[in-house]
Amino acid sequence: DQQVKQNSPSLSVQEGRISILNCDYTNSMFDYFLWYKKYPAEGPTFLISISSIKDKNEDGRFTVFLNKSAKHLSLHIVPSQPGDSAVYFCAVSGNTGKLIFGQGTTLQVKP
Amino acid sequence: ETGVTQSPTHLIKTRGQQVTLRCSSQSGHNTVSWYQQALGQGPQFIFQYYREEENGRGNFPPRFSGLQFPNYSSELNVNALELDDSALYLCASSLGGLAGEYEQYFGPGTRLTVT
């Protein structure tokens, strides 16, 4: 039973445009929501997070939106750059410190 | 400040054998978590250690075990290897034990192949 789902395995956008990555979760008890980026042959790198008491968090080109009623999380990257091409994982956490990951979305940003 | 390191990078084992994977936490971090990432999937939580004690476990059988040492480095041991254990094994270090809001910093992983 998948608690965190990323329904788009891949996404391709043009350099300079917006990338929107989506994530759905099933359990309303999760407290923290995170996005990780992963390049080949490297471990996941923390990108941005949001707690359940907020609905938006911004860090430079990256913004995470949380819609608790819809149990939906999204990551916006504006403007997208070729170096953003990677696999993006959303992850959720309760008060256990355990991260539950989605399956990942491969983002390709074309020059 | 050194990041999270893991050894070895790659490993090939035969079904039924035992394996030990190692992880060195980021400086100052007292918590380490281990994850298994199968091909095409997201990482799955195996267990977490906080100050040398197991502090949470995912849906993995007892043949997956671990240790955390006083310097907060860690080992993952897998006994009686099965073909399905072939995966990328990631460790992640963080502060704060069970607190979910602390960022977890991942190592590059160990690629285990079981034949």
Side-chain angles (χ1 to χ4, degrees), chain A residues 2 32 34 36 38 41-46 49 89 93-104, chain B residues 33 35 37 40-43 45 48 55 58 88 90 97-101 103-109:
Chain A
Q2 199 106 35
Y32 300 99
L34 308 94
Y36 280 82
K38 188 178 186 303
E42 294 182 13
T45 302
F46 171 78
S49 66
F89 292 98
S93 173
N95 59 0
T96 64
K98 158 187 168 181
L99 290 176
I100 303 171
F101 285 85
Q103 310 95 305
Chain B
S33 303
Y35 294 83
Q37 185 180 12
Q41 300 295 318
F45 177 76
Q48 182 182 84
N55 199 29
L88 180 69
L90 296 160
L98 291 179
E101 73 268 28
E103 295 170 24
Q104 296 191 19
Y105 293 82
F106 284 83

Side-chain angles (χ1 to χ4, degrees), chain A residues 46-87:
Chain A
F46 171 78
L47 200 53
I48 192 169
S49 66
I50 188 169
S51 76
S52 59
I53 61 173
K54 296 185 176 180
D55 54 20
K56 178 182 173 181
N57 188 27
E58 221 171 323
D59 184 2
R61 297 186 298 115
F62 303 91
T63 303
V64 56
F65 294 92
L66 177 62
N67 182 334
K68 288 184 288 293
S69 60
K71 297 190 184 69
H72 181 80
L73 183 70
S74 64
L75 174 69
H76 292 207
I77 307 174
V78 181
S80 302
Q81 299 173 354
D84 295 330
S85 298
V87 180

